[in-house]
Amino acid sequence: MIVVTTETVVGRTIESSLGLVRGTTVRSRHVFKDIRAAMKNLVGGEVEEYTKLVAETREQALDRMIAEARARGADAVVGFRFATSEVARAAAEVVAYGTAVRLDGKSAGTGTS
Amino acid sequence: MAFADGELRGEELDRFQARLASEPGLVREVSEYLALQLIARQMAPREPADYEWDRLREDIAHQAGERLSWLLFTGAVLGLIVTGVIGIANSELETLPKTFALGAILGLGLLLLMTLRARLRVLPYDPYRKVER
């Protein structure tokens, strides 16, 4: 599945648009990680616990969006974006969205960009 | 693995999903494959600080300090909860409010245990916990 942030896929022609696809998830860390993160907040520097949390959330949202695009028979997702919001303290919410498209006759690639 | 790559369609997909519903071992296999895919697409090299983190984690004094602090903290919190429950049980509150207070604490504790049980049950099937950054 090709996933690009641009409106087109370079070198390919968009045959048809299959509409909006999105993946959403909200994840949290357990309370002990929150306590450790609170300590790191006091002394500064990267809070790895939250870096990991946001990264996990981002990847899951991306995978869910790709799964929806595949279910619609898409070859690619164009105009891909991430959006975040806060629904609960110490929880990360990420929405991954884009437009699923079918590309011209040639088979689709497998990378994400 | 065609299912994880989204290559199964129609009847094939239905058949595989039916197998997933009845074969926990297969679910675990799919999860492990998804975890490998996730790791493969996180090919960013390690950062210099990562090596120092590793050394710190192997440091005996650091390990001992961490273990002691967690032990003290969790032990004290559990002690406080138990003391609170005993305090309520022995208080001069009337029977009905005392029962409600103890019931609420017991209910919350049970709810926490059930939530923990559910989390531990699905943990092996959550490939995203392998994502680092």
Side-chain angles (χ1 to χ4, degrees):
Chain A
M1 175 70 60
I2 300 170
V3 180
V4 292
T5 55
T6 50
E7 302 304 314
T8 56
V9 178
V10 177
R12 304 291 297 273
T13 308
I14 293 175
E15 199 174 76
S16 58
S17 172
L18 304 170
L20 175 75
V21 283
R22 66 279 194 213
T24 308
T25 186
V26 182
R27 293 178 71 99
S28 70
R29 304 308 315 265
H30 58 71
V31 68
F32 295 104
K33 294 279 183 191
D34 273 341
I35 292 168
R36 190 185 286 275
M39 294 296 153
K40 285 185 181 169
N41 271 333
L42 295 177
V43 298
E46 183 181 6
V47 186
E48 288 89 353
E49 286 76 9
Y50 291 149
T51 302
K52 183 169 162 54
L53 169 64
V54 172
E56 287 174 1
T57 312
R58 178 197 68 213
E59 294 302 320
Q60 190 169 25
L62 174 64
D63 279 349
R64 285 183 174 169
M65 184 202 71
I66 290 173
E68 189 180 329
R70 277 180 179 144
R72 290 197 196 185
D75 298 316
V77 174
V78 296
F80 169 69
R81 298 285 184 273
F82 280 121
T84 62
S85 63
E86 188 179 318
V87 289
R89 271 183 62 80
E93 184 205 356
V94 171
V95 183
Y97 65 95
T99 304
V101 294
R102 200 168 282 148
L103 300 172
D104 59 10
K106 301 167 201 164
S107 63
T110 53
T112 57
S113 57
Chain B
M1 180 161 298
F3 172 76
D5 294 334
E7 288 165 3
L8 293 186
R9 292 278 181 275
E11 229 175 82
E12 256 187 331
L13 178 62
D14 292 342
R15 264 204 308 273
F16 195 82
Q17 282 178 329
R19 281 187 62 196
L20 284 175
S22 60
E23 294 179 37
L26 187 60
V27 176
R28 189 178 287 243
E29 210 175 299
V30 172
S31 302
E32 281 166 8
Y33 181 78
L34 286 173
L36 278 177
Q37 274 190 329
L38 269 174
I39 291 166
R41 77 179 188 222
Q42 317 266 314
M43 292 300 280
R46 301 192 84 206
E47 294 170 6
D50 293 336
Y51 298 99
E52 196 52 38
W53 278 117
D54 288 347
R55 274 190 285 276
L56 200 56
R57 283 187 200 105
E58 285 164 15
D59 182 64
I60 304 292
H62 187 77
Q63 284 178 12
E66 292 246 317
R67 281 178 194 160
L68 181 66
S69 57
W70 282 118
L71 195 69
L72 280 172
F73 179 73
T74 48
V77 168
L78 285 174
L80 277 174
I81 293 170
V82 172
T83 311
V85 170
I86 293 171
I88 292 171
N90 294 332
S91 70
E92 290 174 2
L93 278 173
E94 290 189 21
T95 312
L96 206 57
K98 193 187 281 187
T99 310
F100 286 148
L102 291 174
I105 293 169
L106 190 67
L108 270 179
L110 197 60
L111 196 60
L112 179 64
L113 277 180
M114 290 298 102
T115 310
L116 186 63
R117 179 176 178 255
R119 175 63 182 147
L120 292 176
R121 187 82 170 257
V122 297
L123 202 59
Y125 308 110
D126 181 3
Y128 299 98
R129 68 201 165 89
K130 304 253 170 89
V131 177
E132 285 303 322
R133 55 169 70 111

